[in-house]
Amino acid sequence: MLIVQKYGGTSLGDAGRIQAAADRVAGLARQGAQVVVVVSAQGDTTDEMIARAAQLNPRGAAREMDAYLAAGEQMSAGLMAMAIGALGCPAVSLTGWQAGIHTDARFGNARIQSIDPERIRKELAAGKVVVTAGFQGVSDAGDVTTLGRGGSDTTAVALAAWLDADRCQIFTDVDGVYDRDPRRYPEAIRFGRISYEKMLRLIENGAQVLHDRSVELARDHGIRIEVLSAFTGAPGTIVSALE
Ligand code: ADP
Ligand code: ASP
Ligand code: MG
């Protein structure tokens, strides 16, 4: 059983939350699953980094912004691997390029073109949990790229596709996909299941709960996405071909 689990920024917001995610991952690994974890930058890190860069150069070169912003996810990956390791479960963190994630060279909005899964497979075969930094890859020229805001979802789905994973779970700060933003509309209704097409329409109308590219990739590769709460054991939402 190979499982890809992605944790978003709020779900990694402080040490306690990283610990809770690490506990879940280590539990699966102990049951014998191979686990690939994809992490976002913690909390508001990416927003804060963008603001800091703007103080120095409001029109910072896109290449340099990507080199800089990718560090947010790398910090999470290192922390998560250490948290999992502290539970006695061997784990290794990988940057996007170490994980073999190749993209085009559109800095700030790069698209994944292929993944060379050799390194990840090697680490999994050695019995390790692999923690991959989301939101990033490497261009043919060897430059660091980022996938656009919210792009860690796309890293997770792409890894699930290229690794032929059995499950792809996106852990976030709400317990699934709703017909409208549940934070703004308490009467919002949760979908138990939603089709790729309907999910893409929701995203077009502003639901940023999943990155649009992640849903397109899932549709194209037949990946069933489970959107789950990082904080509760609620059933969540399945995004798949069928409603
Ligand atoms: P993460 O950091 O886990 O990637 P995001 O902030 O990108 O989380 O996405 C989760 C947020 O999406 C929720 O906190 C919620 O406010 C918002 N959201 C907007 N529309 C929807 C919707 N239709 N269903 C669920 N969440 C939604
Ligand atoms: N940290 C990046 C962002 O805020 C990527 C992500 O969270 O998926 O957009
Ligand atoms: Mg997101």
Side-chain angles (χ1 to χ4, degrees):
M1 167 77 92
L2 172 54
I3 305 182
V4 175
Q5 290 197 331
K6 179 256 175 177
Y7 291 90
T10 315
S11 310
L12 302 171
D14 57 33
R17 288 180 171 182
I18 293 184
Q19 188 75 61
D23 280 337
R24 185 183 290 108
V25 170
L28 279 172
R30 276 190 212 107
Q31 288 166 32
Q34 294 188 319
V35 192
V36 174
V37 184
V38 175
V39 288
S40 292
Q42 283 187 279
D44 297 326
T45 300
T46 306
D47 289 332
E48 288 164 11
M49 291 175 87
I50 290 170
R52 227 172 289 145
Q55 286 178 337
L56 293 170
N57 184 346
R59 286 180 305 282
R63 180 191 180 281
E64 307 313 329
M65 273 306 274
D66 278 13
Y68 173 54
L69 291 182
E73 268 66 16
Q74 290 171 44
M75 290 194 283
S76 289
L79 282 175
M80 177 64 91
M82 287 190 269
I84 297 169
L87 298 169
C89 179
V92 61
S93 67
L94 297 178
T95 62
W97 50 103
Q98 286 176 314
I101 300 175
H102 296 275
T103 72
D104 62 22
R106 262 198 290 168
F107 296 113
N109 197 23
R111 282 168 80 101
I112 295 176
Q113 293 187 316
S114 64
I115 298 181
D116 173 1
E118 201 183 320
R119 176 71 187 272
I120 294 185
R121 289 231 182 263
K122 194 180 105 200
E123 302 291 358
L124 290 173
K128 292 182 194 161
V129 169
V130 176
V131 184
T132 305
F135 178 56
Q136 57 186 259
V138 63
S139 70
D140 286 348
D143 288 324
V144 177
T145 57
T146 66
L147 308 180
R149 300 303 308 269
S152 297
D153 299 327
T154 296
T155 305
V157 173
L159 283 171
W162 264 272
L163 291 166
D164 200 17
D166 299 289
R167 300 182 78 166
C168 179
Q169 300 180 317
I170 306 274
F171 286 93
T172 185
D173 56 3
V174 288
D175 64 356
V177 178
Y178 285 72
D179 61 348
R180 66 202 98 160
D181 186 344
R183 292 195 185 285
R184 292 175 55 201
Y185 302 96
E187 72 279 17
I189 295 166
R190 186 177 58 80
F191 295 101
R193 278 179 177 272
I194 185 171
S195 68
Y196 299 123
E197 300 309 330
K198 203 161 167 185
M199 186 68 230
L200 285 168
R201 278 200 298 279
L202 270 184
I203 295 171
E204 251 174 50
N205 292 322
Q208 99 289 18
V209 59
L210 288 177
H211 192 231
D212 54 358
R213 242 340 252 154
S214 73
V215 180
E216 290 167 4
L217 263 179
R219 178 193 60 198
D220 296 349
H221 292 266
I223 305 289
R224 185 173 171 275
I225 304 177
E226 300 167 50
V227 181
L228 298 161
S229 166
F231 311 132
T232 74
T237 298
I238 290 170
V239 187
S240 66
L242 300 171
E243 300 256 316

